Amino acid sequence: MAELMKAATLTFPREVRKRPLRIGEVARPEPKPGQVLLRVRVCGVCRTDLHIVEGDLPPLRPGIIPGHQIVGEVVAGTTGAGATEELAVGARVGVSWMGGTDGTCRYCHLGLENLCDAPTFTGYTVDGGYAEYAVVRSDFTFPLPNELDDLHSAPLLCAGIIGFRSLRVAGVKQGDRVGLFGFGASAHLAIAVLRSWNCEVYVSTRGASHRQLAASLGAVWVGSETDKPPAELDCAVTFAPSGDVVVAALASLRKGGVVAINAIHLDRIPQFDYDRLLWGERQLRSVTNMTRTDARDFLKIASEIGLQPKVTPFPLDQANEALIAVKEDSIDGAAVIVM
Ligand SMILES: [Zn+2]
Ligand SMILES: [Zn+2]
């Protein structure tokens, strides 16, 4: 008889207010060679989880356990090839959305593992961290800085890393004028990195509480999603799953500037005026997944600048409610499920 664990599994994708996650007992997974079994301490909640649970991303496996910002403790694993000192039993590690790559496709060979043709996604193609235990690939785990406790590490693992990658894709340089369009879990971490690079940050977002948070974190200007920043931006990152926001960001850009779209799903992109908005060598780029280098570089910066994400904890029993909170933007910062 397999041992049991408590987990949140997706029954079938539907609107999150109908509570598509079932909280109950399932068989505890066993690690195979190259994998470790983690006792999950906390798991961050990401907007991508919402897209999976509501079916915006097509279901790939029935009964999937979502969650890809896992902070866990190694309880068992392989000691063969691939095992490192960091992965001793008892080690505290983080796991993110990229749960593995094939290592053989042209993108992996080009050093673009975020674009791998056959990737494994934690909490989407394989079970994730909305559970008491999770099995993960040992070479896709990251040691976590001691400065950060479990609760505050979790939102760094996707929101933080992908927000950081977005800054790279947008080509942000020291002292740039940077626009952040939308101000949720990812943006409130990106602003701390930008401030440490002496950037001027302009935040355009829905909701008075998000605007207050942005101002308190050092934005030089905050406005609603229909306000235009008062200065031309060197680059911008959009975080909202809305094409209107992408066009608004483009309209705020100087010539040669870049908009990086940090969204795995957009409603659509409306028609826009090429001559006025894109001509002038402005660029529109998407941000896709992350590399392990992004993760390590970001976690290092996070520990150096003492990044303290704003978090709201939820018990595992309330996994549906945590997703509702993300959908309704009813909390500042990040939702985190605590086992
Ligand atoms: Zn590959
Ligand atoms: Zn995510």
Side-chain angles (χ1 to χ4, degrees):
M1 267 285 282
E3 289 198 56
L4 297 177
M5 67 171 185
K6 195 165 151 186
T9 52
L10 180 58
T11 48
F12 59 92
R14 66 202 138 129
E15 212 272 316
V16 72
R17 273 179 215 85
K18 297 191 170 135
R19 292 179 167 64
L21 292 175
R22 184 189 77 95
I23 322 294
E25 292 201 312
V26 298
R28 191 170 115 174
E30 300 273 352
K32 293 191 189 73
Q35 297 179 327
V36 284
L37 176 68
L38 300 181
R39 186 176 66 76
V40 179
R41 292 178 174 180
V42 302
C43 185
V45 177
C46 176
R47 186 166 285 276
T48 302
D49 301 342
L50 188 64
H51 293 316
I52 291 167
V53 163
E54 294 202 320
D56 296 320
L57 295 178
L60 300 178
R61 270 192 45 193
I64 193 79
I65 300 172
H68 57 268
Q69 302 186 93
I70 305 173
V71 176
E73 184 185 322
V74 176
V75 290
T78 52
T79 51
T84 68
E85 208 183 324
E86 287 149 359
L87 286 184
V89 167
R92 189 177 74 126
V93 295
V95 179
S96 187
W97 171 241
M98 287 301 275
T101 53
D102 58 11
T104 55
C105 75
R106 60 188 297 211
Y107 298 102
C108 285
H109 284 308
L110 287 167
L112 301 169
E113 68 179 8
N114 59 307
L115 302 179
C116 178
D117 278 333
T120 301
F121 295 126
T122 314
Y124 185 43
T125 57
V126 294
D127 283 336
Y130 289 16
E132 289 176 314
Y133 292 89
V135 156
V136 299
R137 248 175 78 165
S138 51
D139 55 350
F140 278 79
T141 61
F142 309 102
L144 295 170
N146 290 329
E147 294 80 10
L148 281 162
D149 63 20
D150 297 341
L151 201 57
H152 294 91
S153 299
L156 302 184
L157 291 165
C158 177
I161 297 167
I162 293 188
F164 177 67
R165 183 174 180 84
S166 307
L167 304 183
R168 285 188 157 164
V169 169
V172 177
K173 291 186 274 309
Q174 291 267 352
D176 271 355
R177 279 185 188 150
V178 183
L180 301 178
F181 290 76
F183 203 76
S186 210
H188 100 283
L189 297 172
I191 194 173
V193 175
L194 290 169
R195 297 281 296 127
S196 78
W197 292 344
N198 297 313
C199 292
E200 273 179 26
V201 186
Y202 296 77
V203 174
S204 169
T205 189
R206 269 195 315 197
S209 74
H210 289 189
R211 289 195 287 275
Q212 272 162 21
L213 180 63
S216 75
L217 294 175
V220 295
W221 175 87
V222 288
S224 75
E225 78 271 38
T226 51
D227 295 334
K228 195 170 165 156
E232 283 196 325
L233 305 172
D234 294 303
C235 44
V237 181
T238 69
F239 295 92
S242 146
D244 291 331
V245 170
V246 172
V247 174
L250 210 47
S252 308
L253 218 56
R254 69 157 167 81
K255 283 181 277 189
V258 182
V259 172
I261 305 170
N262 178 335
I264 195 167
H265 165 78
L266 276 193
D267 49 0
R268 87 274 178 258
I269 292 200
Q271 210 171 41
F272 62 84
D273 181 354
Y274 168 83
D275 302 12
R276 196 170 54 86
L277 294 186
L278 199 59
W279 192 75
E281 301 202 341
R282 293 174 179 90
Q283 294 180 58
L284 202 49
R285 299 188 63 186
S286 66
V287 180
T288 302
N289 307 324
M290 46 163 280
T291 67
R292 283 172 282 180
T293 307
D294 294 326
R296 291 193 194 99
D297 292 349
F298 170 69
L299 290 169
K300 182 164 177 285
I301 290 177
S303 80
E304 281 166 5
I305 66 176
L307 196 50
Q308 273 288 332
K310 233 173 134 61
V311 295
T312 303
F314 290 84
L316 181 56
D317 289 330
Q318 303 272 308
N320 287 300
E321 285 70 19
L323 286 167
I324 292 169
V326 169
K327 181 168 187 178
E328 294 179 348
D329 260 344
S330 60
I331 51 171
D332 281 327
V336 177
I337 294 174
V338 179
M339 300 317 141

